[in-house]
Amino acid sequence: MRVTPRRPLRIGMLTTFYPPYNFGGDGIGVERLATALARRGHEVTVLHDVDAYEVLAHAPVAAPTTPPVPGLRVIPLRSGLGPVSPLLTQQAGRPVVNGRRIRRIVARERFDVTFFHNVSLIGGAGLLGAGAGVTLYEAHEHWLVCPSHVLWRHGREPCTGRQCLRCTLRHHRPPQLWRYTGYLERQLRHVDAFIAKSEFSRRKHHEFGFTREMEVIPYFLPDAPPAAASARGAPPHDRPYVLFVGRLERIKGLDDVIPAMRRLPELDLVVAGDGEHGPVLRRLADGVANVRFLGRVAPDALRAYYDHALALVVPSVCFETFGIILIEAFRQGTPVIARRIGPFPEIVERAGGGLLFETPDELVAALHALHASPARRAELARAGAAAFARHWSESAVLPQYLELIARTAAARGMAEVAHLVHDGAAA
């Protein structure tokens, strides 16, 4: 009996940002997914837009975050026109400059699966018709329902109702008139399935008028911390401390935490990260002796700060789609104290690995409680680590993507793609 040779899935990923041309968690999440699929033998091609990054960046490009992986190819798109290309895309809602090149690459590669990630500046809504095979859209932000992506109304508050034109202007962005023509809704018909990163984000999309069904598949991290993190070395800080990790932006909520530290003289706040809001936060911390700013911290050094922190504080005041930083803490065995907003309650309650707060008084009480009870802290740390393995590790989450691909392929009559997923040809 002749056996048909098996082949890997051919997977394309189209995204605006991809490390090292990347600002936040969305590009890192795409990189982790692409790497995980390639390591299982799939052929993965990533297209991303360098022009968009360079227009928005205020710092030099860092080194790539992961080494090259066999089967993973990354194609950076450079138009030679600098900011003109992403501006045209933002205004027209389609890949004005790079559209032909993207379509040529997709046609040449004959993808079985096309992932659309953050498409805002690589091609906008017009890119959604360029996919091949099973087409999936992963909503790393709320771009589908929010021109400013983050549901942060007028630059000062979580959005609870549309005031999009005025809000866009307050964010210093030109209005996208194509959003008022039905063009986005027509382009969405090219997508087979949509992925939200949390139950909260799925609800928020529907609340703001998105009518398509969405699967919930969370972010993931590699299954276990690197070996270096398993051996706890000397503490990197000479006093008990609570840790903040992330970009220094108004929406991250540190403006509430720094004043509260005056009431916690027994603890330090260690801030790892930098950003445009940094100067404001440093002025706010003048005279608050137990606040220390580290700036950007390399991943290996950051693991040591996680290991010895009383807790990771996550005080964001906006509607995030997930919160990768929470599962990074859980993986390290670090409890989380997060604001009761967005997807954070969903994640913390599922893990049983942290506490929630709404007011500065509740934040101070939570930190006092953990500092006073090492046993309670250890209990939360164990629960978070166990929940990470069950819910947010690579081995727990990646099968959810493959199952969605197989189910969608079968529904479209693409038997070969469904077969390649089910028989584990590339696993």
Side-chain angles (χ1 to χ4, degrees):
M1 175 181 177
R2 182 182 178 187
V3 177
T4 303
R6 295 174 176 178
R7 67 169 180 85
L9 286 170
R10 295 185 294 265
I11 300 172
M13 294 188 173
L14 282 64
T15 183
T16 296
F17 303 117
Y18 189 83
Y21 302 94
N22 174 73
F23 296 102
D26 62 328
I28 295 172
V30 175
E31 180 186 53
R32 287 180 178 139
L33 177 58
T35 300
L37 290 167
R39 283 177 176 157
R40 282 156 180 78
H42 302 292
E43 295 177 356
V44 182
T45 301
V46 179
L47 283 73
H48 69 99
D49 195 289
V50 176
D51 290 337
Y53 174 84
E54 291 180 343
V55 167
L56 300 172
H58 300 290
V61 174
T65 57
T66 57
V69 176
L72 172 58
R73 182 170 50 146
V74 179
I75 302 176
L77 300 176
R78 292 179 172 89
S79 69
L81 300 177
V84 173
S85 176
L87 177 61
L88 289 173
T89 295
Q90 193 266 356
Q91 283 293 279
R94 62 197 74 202
V96 177
V97 176
N98 288 322
R100 288 185 179 179
R101 184 183 177 195
I102 292 171
R103 286 179 171 83
R104 283 199 303 268
I105 293 171
V106 171
R108 181 186 71 215
E109 299 298 327
R110 295 179 298 148
F111 295 133
D112 301 304
V113 181
T114 303
F115 277 92
F116 297 106
H117 295 287
N118 177 352
V119 299
S120 59
L121 296 180
I122 188 176
L127 191 67
L128 303 181
V134 172
T135 53
L136 308 174
Y137 183 101
E138 189 162 26
H140 298 274
E141 297 180 315
H142 290 109
W143 177 83
L144 289 171
V145 295
C146 174
S148 65
H149 302 218
V150 292
L151 294 175
W152 182 242
R153 190 167 56 191
H154 305 313
R156 65 171 183 259
E157 62 192 7
C159 183
T160 56
R162 289 183 179 275
Q163 298 174 10
C164 296
L165 184 58
R166 284 193 293 133
C167 183
T168 299
L169 295 174
R170 287 293 297 268
H171 278 88
H172 306 291
R173 298 181 183 181
Q176 296 174 310
L177 299 181
W178 56 266
R179 283 184 177 267
Y180 302 92
T181 67
Y183 179 60
L184 175 59
E185 290 72 21
R186 293 191 297 274
Q187 291 300 108
L188 294 177
R189 298 169 188 164
H190 296 291
V191 179
D192 295 320
F194 294 84
I195 299 169
K197 304 311 295 177
S198 63
E199 290 287 351
F200 169 83
S201 184
R202 173 162 65 179
R203 291 195 304 271
K204 193 58 64 174
H205 274 86
H206 290 160
E207 176 185 326
F208 277 81
F210 185 74
T211 60
R212 297 285 297 273
E213 291 298 318
M214 302 186 84
E215 302 275 339
V216 175
I217 302 179
Y219 284 105
F220 65 84
L221 303 175
D223 289 349
S230 63
R232 292 165 60 94
H237 190 72
D238 59 2
R239 277 170 39 89
Y241 64 93
V242 59
L243 180 65
F244 172 90
V245 178
R247 299 191 308 279
L248 303 189
E249 300 177 355
R250 173 67 185 88
I251 61 177
K252 295 301 183 181
L254 269 180
D255 300 73
D256 296 336
V257 180
I258 290 173
M261 295 306 298
R262 296 180 184 273
R263 300 159 59 187
L264 293 158
E266 70 276 20
L267 289 175
D268 287 354
L269 170 64
V270 174
V271 178
D274 210 343
E276 293 183 354
H277 198 53
V280 175
L281 295 173
R282 288 178 171 85
R283 289 194 296 272
L284 184 63
D286 281 347
V288 186
N290 56 341
V291 176
R292 179 183 176 190
F293 292 89
L294 302 179
R296 297 174 188 269
V297 179
D300 287 345
L302 190 58
R303 283 191 286 270
Y305 279 98
Y306 273 115
D307 281 345
H308 296 277
L310 176 71
L312 176 78
V313 62
V314 187
S316 294
V317 293
C318 66
F319 294 142
E320 301 198 20
T321 58
F322 185 72
I324 295 177
I325 197 71
L326 279 75
I327 64 173
E328 289 179 349
F330 293 149
R331 188 181 69 158
Q332 293 293 130
T334 304
V336 166
I337 299 178
R339 195 181 297 270
R340 191 183 296 276
I341 191 172
F344 299 160
E346 168 187 337
I347 296 169
V348 171
E349 290 167 4
R350 189 174 196 185
L355 304 173
L356 297 167
F357 73 93
E358 293 184 17
T359 67
D361 286 346
E362 291 177 349
L363 171 62
V364 170
L367 289 170
H368 272 310
L370 287 194
H371 188 240
S373 177
R376 175 61 170 150
R377 184 208 177 274
E379 177 187 359
L380 294 176
R382 287 192 297 269
F388 166 78
R390 290 194 305 272
H391 302 302
W392 302 295
S393 63
E394 182 177 312
S395 59
V397 175
L398 194 63
Q400 298 176 45
Y401 283 101
L402 296 173
E403 190 277 333
L404 175 60
I405 292 170
R407 177 160 36 92
T408 306
R412 286 194 51 189
M414 299 173 62
E416 181 185 16
V417 174
H419 175 72
L420 288 172
V421 176
H422 281 307
D423 71 1

